[in-house]
Amino acid sequence: YNLANTLKELGKLQEAELSTRKAIEIKPNFPEAYSNLGTIFIDLGKLQEAELSTRKAIELKPDYADAYCNLGQILKDLGKLKEAEIKQRKAIELKPDFAIAHSNLGTILKNLGRLKEAEISQRKAVNLQPNLAHTHYNLANTLKELGKLQEAELSTRKAIEIKPNFPEAYSNLGT
């Protein structure tokens, strides 16, 4: 399992997948391994497999906030926004201070056209984890859609301050 994480970090995704499958073979009721396999599948672009693996992690560990958060992102990427919202809300219910889940929920709400709710969720994420560039970037995108352009610019600049090599944020400043 630790080997798989290291391989994933090194970008050796096929090897990470094989290592994680071996961990599951040795210990079939290992929710963290199923969740990890799900994130590897995401990186490989295999979203259906990612969904199945992450659902298995949740089946084995029903209070697994990280897996609910990951499943919400997978479902969002599959275009299942309503179900994605439910999974992100479950992650937050299990772990109320989960900044990434709040940010992800905000992005889903934005995609659903619920911009005010999205702003609230993304501001919560920024407050919970102010040094995470993506939370500022996501908030900036919602603020921009709400017509709050000065605030959007400030949030984008904050994202760049935190992560100077963030090309999407630089691109946002130009549009």
Side-chain angles (χ1 to χ4, degrees):
Y1 172 72
N2 285 335
L3 174 60
N5 286 333
T6 301
L7 291 167
K8 183 176 184 280
E9 291 299 316
L10 290 170
K12 298 179 178 184
L13 298 176
Q14 282 80 14
E15 290 178 60
E17 178 185 347
L18 292 174
S19 180
T20 305
R21 286 185 184 280
K22 183 66 176 177
I24 291 168
E25 180 185 316
I26 294 166
K27 185 177 175 184
N29 293 323
F30 191 0
E32 292 80 7
Y34 281 100
S35 182
N36 191 47
L37 184 58
T39 63
I40 292 166
F41 283 141
I42 291 168
D43 291 346
L44 288 169
K46 299 177 177 181
L47 294 180
Q48 282 79 18
E49 291 94 330
E51 178 182 357
L52 291 174
S53 187
T54 307
R55 286 186 188 279
K56 180 66 175 179
I58 292 168
E59 176 188 320
L60 293 170
K61 187 175 176 182
D63 64 345
Y64 196 176
D66 288 1
Y68 277 103
C69 183
N70 290 342
L71 182 56
Q73 283 303 97
I74 294 163
L75 293 167
K76 177 188 74 78
D77 291 345
L78 289 170
K80 301 175 183 179
L81 296 179
K82 293 285 190 185
E83 191 180 356
E85 176 188 356
I86 291 166
K87 300 308 179 194
Q88 292 298 349
R89 289 191 187 281
K90 181 66 175 180
I92 292 166
E93 174 189 319
L94 292 168
K95 195 163 135 182
D97 62 345
F98 197 171
I100 292 169
H102 283 283
S103 184
N104 291 347
L105 176 60
T107 299
I108 292 164
L109 293 169
K110 180 175 108 7
N111 292 345
L112 287 167
R114 293 159 50 194
L115 297 177
K116 295 283 189 194
E117 289 176 78
E119 179 185 3
I120 291 166
S121 190
Q122 289 166 337
R123 284 190 188 281
K124 176 84 173 178
V126 167
N127 288 335
L128 287 169
Q129 204 165 351
N131 293 320
L132 191 60
H134 272 86
T135 60
H136 291 277
Y137 174 75
N138 290 341
L139 175 59
N141 287 332
T142 298
L143 291 169
K144 186 175 172 184
E145 285 203 30
L146 283 165
K148 299 178 179 182
L149 300 181
Q150 289 179 328
E151 282 185 81
E153 179 186 352
L154 291 174
S155 285
T156 303
R157 290 190 185 282
K158 183 64 177 177
I160 292 168
E161 177 186 319
I162 295 166
K163 185 179 176 185
N165 60 341
F166 194 170
E168 295 87 355
Y170 283 103
S171 178
N172 251 12
L173 280 177
T175 58

